[in-house]
Amino acid sequence: MTRRSANWFGARGRAGMTARSWLRNQGHDDEVFDGRPVIGIATTWSELAPCNAHQQRIAESVKRGVWQAGGFPLEFPNMALGETLVRPTAMLYRNLLAMQAEETIRANPLDAVVLLSGCDKTTPGLLMAASSVDLPAIMLTGGPMLNGKHRGRDIGSGTAVWQAEADLVAGRITEQECHVIEGCMSRSAGHCMTMGTASTMACIVEALGMQLPYAASWPAVDARRSVAAQRTGRRIVQMVDEDLKPSDLLTPAAFRNAIRANAAIGGSTNAVVHLIAIAKRLGVELDVDDFDRYTRDVPTLVNLMPSGEHLMEDFCYAGGLPAVLTELGELIDGSTVTVTGRSMAENIAGAEVHDRAVITSAAEPFQAVGTGTAVLRGSLAPDGAVVKQSAASPRLLQHTGRALVFEDVDEYYAVCRDDDLDVDADTVLVVRNAGPRGYPGMPEVANVPVPKKLQEQGIDDVVRISDGRMSGTAYGTVVLHVCPEAAAGGPLALVRTGDPIRLDVPARRLDLDVPEDELQRRRAEWQPPPNPHPRGYPRLYHEHVLQADQGADLDFLVGGSGSYVPRDGH
């Protein structure tokens, strides 16, 4: 079997000499050019991406496994996206990471790639890239932090931030106490240990069959994550011989498994946007309604923050994702092929639940069937919107209230602490211009805090509606991803303060109760906002980004590029 890399290292004359010679300056001997598989290790390590800052150690373990299996590992950097530090949002750059990684993989003498991710957008970004190139690929996520510990109780990353913010606004804690909570919440390497987007996407990659069993949940500092890394390195070499590619694994059935797994774990709504984007790279038909269609018969089994009380370390010890998939039984298609070369059914055979407080049974679930992500449609969201039912207040799932409209999130924060804000418990807060084009990048700003005036009255949740996203660590009755977004001329752009809005999650409806002739008058007055970005990637993004229901990828990146092979050594 002729390896792709042989077109570089096995080439005759100047081209082969050049490829081999310059790698020798790193101390490599003739043996690495003998036709063995060349394995790229795509890392998103950076000290600017705290969730991924331990990837150098993980990469070394992967390399050890590659060497053991007779491969030649070469590590290369990719854009690091840390949601906690990147502004305006890491989501703006997910597609740039995907583009960069795709071109790096295509342009270099690689036979396969190991994808090292962690923080929210690095996981889908790398998987989008690998799907487009379609060389053998396997992912290893970086693992969650250890449980946060504060005054005798567990606290979760992100979730504790929203709680502390509410307590600070209400005067229940001081700024200094917030600083103490910060340190207690982040006490080891790793990504969020709540069931936020990072943990959600780690589990989803495993449910898709693109990660080794149990690898989603080992804590970042657990020695078993290094063991998983070494096994990943060994396995990718075997996958080259088997020519096992993303297109072989990421089938419609695999995506259905991932959607159902997301519902069972109480996963993030951000998974909707990411999975659609990945599917479109492969030509797999997947739309936003599938996230409702395939979850109506799925119970929420995992009792983790923000919907529950436990954290990823507990989830790991309770049995991890294989235990959850086993509990789902026939709802999971066990015939799908995975990176192990075996079926999903074979991967999870023998998996057991070790703590029913964390992973409940399907017979007695943490939350009832159909409490996952709901997809809403109606006059306010003709192309769809989503709501995380497991994190919402049951009393607000059917609600009609008067809109209080904010043109952007900054406008809301400027007044949310005012005692004279015209708001009550029935008010529907509308924050627009937070979508893919409007912000830009669709930031996690939709879960704005409840106004101070209401918090002081003991009201901890109100309906919030936005074309933006919210962190997977957040909670509340927040309607997200309203499509089309306001900046694209969707009905959200036409809402005015005082308009009645009707939310009916059981009926999957989101409606603006304003006469059609009035809406037509407003639409005639509406003007699309100009592109505020004169240059660079933000300008490109604004001009080409798709709506959330289409995965928010760039229109010219949909589909695959294939793996470039040089001709005659050039």
Side-chain angles (χ1 to χ4, degrees):
M1 176 181 180
T2 301
R3 312 280 185 210
R4 178 174 179 268
S5 58
N7 291 281
W8 281 263
F9 299 132
R12 295 183 177 182
R14 181 180 60 186
M17 184 178 180
T18 299
R20 295 185 298 269
S21 176
W22 265 262
L23 267 183
R24 290 181 187 274
N25 74 357
Q26 298 179 60
H28 296 301
D29 202 355
D30 288 344
E31 63 179 10
V32 300
F33 307 120
D34 61 3
R36 66 183 62 197
V38 179
I39 309 299
I41 301 175
T43 179
T44 48
W45 170 85
S46 172
E47 291 179 341
L48 289 172
C51 302
N52 299 20
H54 62 300
Q55 280 187 2
Q56 289 177 310
R57 175 173 54 81
I58 293 175
E60 288 304 314
S61 294
V62 174
K63 290 178 187 177
R64 189 160 59 242
V66 172
W67 286 119
Q68 286 176 334
F72 177 22
L74 291 170
E75 183 180 356
F76 63 94
N78 296 272
M79 189 175 189
L81 303 178
E83 186 65 60
T84 55
L85 298 183
V86 172
R87 297 293 181 270
T89 169
M91 184 63 176
L92 174 63
Y93 300 105
R94 182 202 66 177
N95 301 339
L96 183 57
L97 164 61
M99 190 176 352
Q100 177 203 8
E102 175 181 342
E103 297 305 327
T104 302
I105 295 167
R106 290 185 74 239
N108 283 282
L110 304 177
D111 299 304
V113 63
V114 176
L115 311 169
L116 298 185
S117 70
C119 198
D120 299 17
K121 312 309 175 295
T122 58
T123 299
L126 288 178
L127 199 52
M128 289 159 67
S131 297
S132 289
V133 179
D134 206 30
L135 288 174
I138 188 171
M139 179 162 271
L140 180 63
T141 51
M145 293 185 285
L146 297 176
N147 287 4
K149 300 287 184 180
H150 178 244
R151 296 183 178 177
R153 66 184 181 93
D154 285 352
I155 60 171
S157 48
T159 302
V161 172
W162 319 128
Q163 293 169 341
E165 180 183 45
D167 288 342
L168 183 65
V169 169
R172 292 186 289 267
I173 63 174
T174 65
E175 192 74 41
Q176 184 58 40
E177 287 174 294
C178 285
H179 295 168
V180 172
I181 292 170
E182 291 171 16
C184 297
M185 185 175 64
S186 302
R187 63 189 191 92
S188 81
H191 59 65
C192 288
M193 83 297 275
T194 49
M195 189 54 77
T197 307
S199 296
T200 294
M201 292 308 298
C203 290
I204 277 179
V205 172
E206 190 174 318
L208 284 169
M210 286 296 297
Q211 178 161 228
L212 294 180
Y214 298 97
S217 58
W218 294 123
V221 294
D222 195 306
R224 288 167 290 189
R225 178 149 301 280
S226 295
V227 172
Q230 194 164 332
R231 289 175 178 168
T232 296
R234 291 200 298 267
R235 178 58 195 151
I236 191 62
V237 176
Q238 297 167 347
M239 288 174 67
V240 174
D241 291 331
E242 297 165 9
D243 196 28
L244 191 58
K245 306 181 297 296
S247 59
D248 301 316
L249 308 176
L250 298 176
T251 62
F255 280 99
R256 288 195 295 272
N257 284 347
I259 290 170
R260 286 174 171 146
N262 187 52
I265 63 177
S268 169
T269 51
N270 290 310
V272 177
V273 179
H274 297 321
L275 279 172
I276 292 174
I278 295 165
K280 283 185 170 296
R281 294 298 184 102
L282 293 151
V284 173
E285 293 294 329
L286 189 70
D287 62 44
V288 67
D289 291 311
D290 290 330
F291 290 82
D292 201 314
R293 180 180 301 115
Y294 296 128
T295 60
R296 284 182 177 252
D297 53 356
V298 179
T300 302
L301 301 181
V302 178
N303 179 6
L304 255 65
M305 299 179 193
S307 301
E309 58 183 333
H310 298 285
L311 295 166
M312 282 295 289
E313 189 178 350
D314 309 308
F315 179 62
C316 175
Y317 306 149
L321 190 72
V324 174
L325 300 182
T326 299
E327 284 293 326
L328 290 177
E330 294 182 356
L331 290 172
I332 294 298
D333 187 335
S335 68
T336 58
V337 181
T338 72
V339 289
T340 65
R342 303 187 300 272
S343 69
M344 180 61 73
E346 292 173 300
N347 282 356
I348 65 177
E352 298 179 359
V353 177
H354 306 299
D355 189 343
R356 285 294 183 191
V358 180
I359 302 174
T360 61
S361 68
E364 298 181 58
F366 173 58
Q367 293 191 14
V369 165
T371 51
T373 298
V375 177
L376 313 175
R377 290 187 183 269
S379 61
L380 191 52
D383 291 339
V386 301
V387 62
K388 185 175 180 178
Q389 296 180 88
S390 62
S393 299
R395 63 183 172 81
L396 292 173
L397 294 179
Q398 289 179 298
H399 181 82
T400 299
R402 177 183 62 89
L404 182 57
V405 180
F406 298 90
E407 291 301 320
D408 54 44
V409 69
D410 295 328
E411 185 176 277
Y412 176 76
Y413 275 103
V415 300
C416 69
R417 297 192 180 195
D418 292 357
D419 292 331
D420 59 353
L421 186 65
D422 184 16
V423 63
D424 59 34
D426 292 329
T427 300
V428 175
L429 302 178
V430 175
V431 178
R432 61 191 175 202
N433 295 309
R437 191 184 303 173
Y439 198 84
M442 202 181 179
E444 295 180 340
V445 298
N447 58 311
V448 293
V450 174
K452 175 175 176 287
K453 175 181 176 179
L454 297 183
Q455 289 191 45
E456 290 174 340
Q457 298 171 21
I459 298 168
D460 60 1
D461 195 13
V462 295
V463 174
R464 285 152 279 181
I465 296 175
S466 178
D467 44 12
R469 299 178 300 118
M470 80 174 182
S471 168
T473 67
Y475 51 88
T477 310
V478 189
V479 178
L480 308 152
H481 311 182
V482 174
C483 291
E485 64 174 305
L492 198 66
L494 309 180
V495 183
R496 294 184 178 176
T497 293
D499 287 347
I501 292 177
R502 179 163 41 87
L503 171 66
D504 190 341
V505 175
R508 302 302 196 258
R509 297 290 302 182
L510 180 65
D511 290 294
L512 176 62
D513 288 337
V514 173
E516 183 60 30
D517 58 346
E518 171 61 16
L519 291 179
Q520 290 296 336
R521 188 184 65 79
R522 295 179 189 179
R523 184 172 297 283
E525 296 175 352
W526 182 80
Q527 294 292 323
N531 186 344
H533 308 286
R535 61 180 300 279
Y537 176 73
R539 175 177 175 174
L540 183 74
Y541 181 94
H542 187 276
E543 292 174 351
H544 292 279
V545 69
L546 298 169
Q547 290 294 287
D549 65 311
Q550 297 295 307
D553 202 354
L554 302 185
D555 54 15
F556 59 83
L557 291 178
V558 172
S561 58
S563 55
Y564 170 80
V565 176
R567 295 187 300 274
D568 300 324
H570 297 287

